[in-house]
Amino acid sequence: MTGAAGPPFDATPLLRLVARRRVARLLAMDPVATQERLLLRLVRHAAATCFGLAHGFDRIGSVAEFQARVPLRRYEQFWEDWWRAPYPVLRDVTWPGPVPYLALSSGTTSGRTKYVPVTREMVRANRGAAVDTLAWHLHAHPRSRVFGGLSFLLGGSTALERVAPRGEAAVRQGDLSGIAAAEMPALLAPWSFPPRDLALLADWDRKLDALAEATPAERIRVLTGTPSWLLVLLERLAARHGTPPLPALELLVHGGVAWAPYRGRFRPYLPPGCATREVYPASEGFVAIADRGDGEGLRLNLDRGCFFEFVPLEGLEAPNPRRHWAATLETGVEYAVALSSCAGLWAYVLGDTVRLLDRRPPRLLVTGRVSYDLSVFGEHLHGEELDAALLEATDAAGGVAVAEYTVGPSFRGARGLHRWLVEPAESPPGGDPDDSDLADRLAAALDAALSRRNADYAVHRGGGQLDAPELVLLPPGSFAAWMRVQGRLGGQHKVPRVIADPARFAAAEASLRPPPAGSPEP
């Protein structure tokens, strides 16, 4: 078998010592004091930057003063007002000194590429959060030997483009996994997979084939990535090595999309006893880690370079929205997340929505995106409701497994409806991807589930303003082909669950739906 050699020794005992100390510190941590100290430290450090001077950072001595001086901003405002003109060299703009990296992040709803600053301080903070993930795993599974083998990170290409080759001001940009690879300590390389030549591959299909060929299946102890792409990898590995394809796997770390639709599909590929742990990473910072069991929420990373604010979703667009933090959080409220970080982001609206389960420590569930909603006539459907309703509908239809889906609005005069483009994990019974009876049953079950879950949806459906949803079943592989055409196949790229812009959704549907049988070739 080709692939990486095993590590020189089992480093788990060393990791276990670090984990015990770290978990003890986390359990004793005061969330309010920790977050306030972190914010004031960040503000003092950035006081002489262009942003700090413009916002009077030298006169900020409390969270309230920070919130009074620094308004919430989205990426587009940061880009236009602070980063676009000096790009790619962001020296002393919103963070002191040079910014060596820019993470390229494609918005799943807008489709636009974002250039997110990544400082070396943020690299260290993200590395610390990765250690915390393993620490929580060892806390729950003290006999685990995760560093007795290889850790496999399934990311995008690690190739970075040099966009400012000027000595100390050199700047490289690319996938966040590429930045992590560039900053990986040489000491950890023997415990990591894939090797550099495979990690650099940009062609996703070629990369998956090469990984399936080269993976030392018996040596992989940890597997990390986005569930949708991990499944594709595991399917290819299973075709070569049998099931389970990674027999020594002890920990699957997942994040980026809702886990519930994937949980059952992973079960056949995981060996007995393999643990799963959800994380909430973003290009802007590492937000939270599951410290308990599956579905019990993610613990906010209080001391890893980010100060967090939470804005009630219904007030996000208000001129002066109320901004909560660790001292004022309430459970059960739908919040938009904002952060200020050691990468020079200040009161930056991340774009995700969460709901708090606990306050001390803050523990949350990711519920969707700020723009991950549908509101054609004011029905206010959020991402969590869309995911849950589709899962309920597929269960009612006999347990149809969904590989991917997207939903968007369709207008017909003064009326509107939701159109769902759904790709089953395998062809429907009978092998017909255009099973109109199954599509109709799923659409009816979706309509009923959404009506039960969302009162606004039920009112607008009952009032006749919103027509019944329509659902189209796509052949297996449709979304992968669509993402490939857009140059967004694999790695951290995710299929947008909602495309709220009608024109953009119509263009996506035209690309995703095959021409009717017998129609002439274009």
Side-chain angles (χ1 to χ4, degrees), residues 434-456:
D434 190 22
D435 186 335
S436 58
D437 178 62
L438 176 59
D440 290 345
R441 285 190 286 119
L442 285 171
L446 262 173
D447 193 25
L450 289 171
S451 295
R452 283 193 300 274
R453 291 174 178 275
N454 187 296
D456 288 333

Side-chain angles (χ1 to χ4, degrees), residues 127-145:
R127 193 183 299 147
V131 172
D132 289 351
T133 304
L134 295 175
W136 286 119
H137 169 71
L138 288 173
H139 181 65
H141 304 274
R143 302 180 67 133
S144 175
R145 295 175 57 243

